[in-house]
Amino acid sequence: MIHAFFKSRRWASWAYGMGIFIVLIIWLQVDLSVQANAWYRSFYDMLQTAQEHDVSEFWHSLFGWEWAWERIFFVIPMVVPKTFIWIAIPIVLTGTLGNFLVSHYGFRWRQAITENYIPRWRNVEHEIEGASQRIQEDANRFARIVESLGLQMLRAILTLIAFLPILWTLSGQVDLPVIRDIPGSLVWAALLVSVGGMAISWFVGWFLPGLEYNNQKVEAAFRKELVLGEDDKIHHAQPETLFSLFTGLRFNYFRLYLHYGYFNLWSNAYGQITSLTPLLMIGPAMFTGAVSVGLLFQVNNAYGQVDGAFSVVLNNWTTLTELRSIWKRLHEFEGNLDKYDTGHDVAADAQEASPLPI
């Protein structure tokens, strides 16, 4: 899975060149989010004292033309937008471009895996259970999950780099006893809530990867019998055989639904807890006048960015469970390919069997 894409000269330009370009695109998105976070404070502070401002300032904050020299990526000096419309438009464009490139990146990874598996599988004389599903469905699902989850993980890392210093500074506005004396209290709160949530989720979802793995095995057996029945209904796809297999499928799915049921109960409760944390820590200071509405929105946004980055694993726990199951099946398939390898020159066969362009 990894070697086929990242250790191949054929795919080096995509694996590394396009990978670096995607990182830069996402980093630009994160920097624009930092600009939006600063805009929230000035805009809502203006609304809090709207009687002291002219309505033209309202329209200017939303649609006006205002730029300033600042450093993006913490290094490169560049003119950055200061009004909503000129922050939102680049966010939309870079987000669209990033998703487009990541989709192609994921498919190229799938193509690399497929072109690696097919000649190796054809050179194996021993029958490998579920080979067609591994090459077609599992390789496809692996690429799609890596495409989605990898994008979120990368964005989470860059978001933490950008927003942790901001949230640390804003922690000075916390006005709760004991907590206000802790430097960076909002950062520590986000970290504690997220790490605690992941630890609990690990135990709550302990059985899910194994259940997903077993579920795919019974799905493969049911599908294989149906496929064989398409060519030979006399010897395959008998009703009693199919209903027996489907009964096993039903039993596995019902177990899976039960375990996902209590996991989702915990996940939904956790989401409500995290939404209240910044308000509980910063809200009381509004009653003393130490915090403005704009600062409250800025803190809530910055905390949401950091908490979302910390919680990306928890929020994608079911997807990670599926990925772990797919990884296990593909790793087992690759082990069988190596085990029953007949000694053919797989690299040469792969080159001959790879007419598709990169």
Side-chain angles (χ1 to χ4, degrees):
M1 290 171 280
I2 303 299
H3 290 189
F5 192 51
F6 290 97
K7 289 193 174 183
S8 169
R9 290 185 180 180
R10 171 175 163 80
W11 295 103
S13 59
W14 266 94
Y16 298 102
M18 184 55 69
I20 292 172
F21 185 69
I22 289 172
V23 170
L24 294 177
I25 291 291
I26 296 174
W27 201 339
L28 179 58
Q29 283 183 274
V30 171
D31 192 79
L32 288 167
S33 298
V34 172
Q35 302 301 326
N37 180 261
W39 177 85
Y40 280 126
R41 181 170 183 174
S42 61
F43 182 75
Y44 285 102
D45 278 347
M46 180 185 67
L47 292 184
Q48 187 177 15
T49 56
Q51 66 280 3
E52 301 175 7
H53 299 272
D54 188 79
V55 69
S56 61
E57 297 179 60
F58 170 82
W59 294 115
H60 176 78
S61 296
L62 290 175
F63 305 111
W65 181 272
E66 184 178 348
W67 298 67
W69 279 95
E70 288 186 10
R71 293 184 181 274
I72 68 168
F73 306 158
F74 311 108
V75 176
I76 306 171
M78 186 174 177
V79 177
V80 297
K82 292 296 181 181
T83 56
F84 175 79
I85 187 66
W86 296 111
I87 296 174
I89 289 176
I91 287 178
V92 171
L93 294 178
T94 55
T96 304
L97 177 61
N99 289 335
F100 176 80
L101 293 177
V102 168
S103 296
H104 275 270
Y105 190 87
F107 190 87
R108 269 23 178 237
W109 196 341
R110 178 193 176 185
Q111 183 179 341
I113 294 174
T114 303
E115 291 178 354
N116 177 267
Y117 281 175
I118 288 177
R120 294 172 64 190
W121 169 64
R122 287 182 58 84
N123 288 331
V124 170
E125 298 176 357
H126 192 280
E127 181 181 355
I128 300 177
E129 187 275 329
S132 59
Q133 184 184 8
R134 303 292 90 82
I135 296 173
Q136 187 268 325
E137 183 177 345
D138 283 344
N140 178 39
R141 293 169 67 190
F142 174 80
R144 293 178 69 87
I145 291 176
V146 168
E147 167 194 329
S148 172
L149 196 58
L151 180 64
Q152 294 182 59
M153 294 290 287
L154 178 58
R155 184 177 286 121
I157 294 171
L158 297 179
T159 296
L160 287 175
I161 295 173
F163 276 93
L164 278 178
I166 296 173
L167 193 61
W168 188 281
T169 302
L170 293 174
S171 297
Q173 305 296 325
V174 172
D175 194 28
L176 289 179
V178 181
I179 297 177
R180 63 188 169 203
D181 299 324
I182 303 174
S185 54
L186 287 169
V187 174
W188 295 116
L191 180 61
L192 181 64
V193 170
S194 300
V195 172
M198 283 190 290
I200 296 173
S201 297
W202 181 270
F203 289 103
V204 174
W206 182 268
F207 297 103
L208 292 177
L211 291 172
E212 283 280 5
Y213 176 77
N214 293 333
N215 207 51
Q216 289 303 315
K217 289 182 68 174
V218 293
E219 281 278 20
F222 183 63
R223 179 171 54 251
K224 181 178 181 179
E225 192 66 23
L226 288 172
V227 171
L228 292 173
E230 290 180 350
D231 297 325
D232 185 2
K233 287 190 174 67
I234 297 177
H235 298 96
H236 297 283
Q238 297 298 318
E240 58 273 15
T241 303
L242 291 176
F243 287 135
S244 176
L245 290 170
F246 191 81
T247 299
L249 196 67
R250 179 177 180 269
F251 175 77
N252 275 275
Y253 267 109
F254 284 6
R255 286 183 64 197
L256 199 61
Y257 295 156
L258 174 63
H259 286 274
Y260 269 121
Y262 63 72
F263 180 85
N264 289 332
L265 177 64
W266 153 247
S267 180
N268 292 332
Y270 174 82
Q272 297 301 318
I273 294 171
T274 56
S275 66
L276 281 177
T277 303
L279 294 177
L280 292 175
M281 297 188 70
I282 203 76
M286 291 194 66
F287 293 90
T288 64
V291 171
S292 65
V293 173
L295 180 59
L296 179 65
F297 270 89
Q298 185 184 22
V299 170
N300 194 55
N301 176 260
Y303 182 90
Q305 295 278 0
V306 172
D307 178 69
F310 277 140
S311 303
V312 67
V313 173
L314 178 61
N315 295 335
N316 290 278
W317 196 266
T318 54
T319 304
L320 275 170
T321 297
E322 184 180 0
L323 179 60
R324 289 166 63 191
S325 174
I326 294 171
W327 180 277
K328 183 177 180 180
R329 293 195 299 273
L330 289 179
H331 186 70
E332 185 180 78
F333 178 63
E334 291 180 354
N336 285 326
L337 290 178
D338 294 335
K339 179 180 178 181
Y340 300 115
D341 184 16
T342 57
H344 291 279
D345 188 347
V346 175
D349 291 345
Q351 188 174 3
E352 293 177 4
S354 303
L356 295 176
I358 293 181

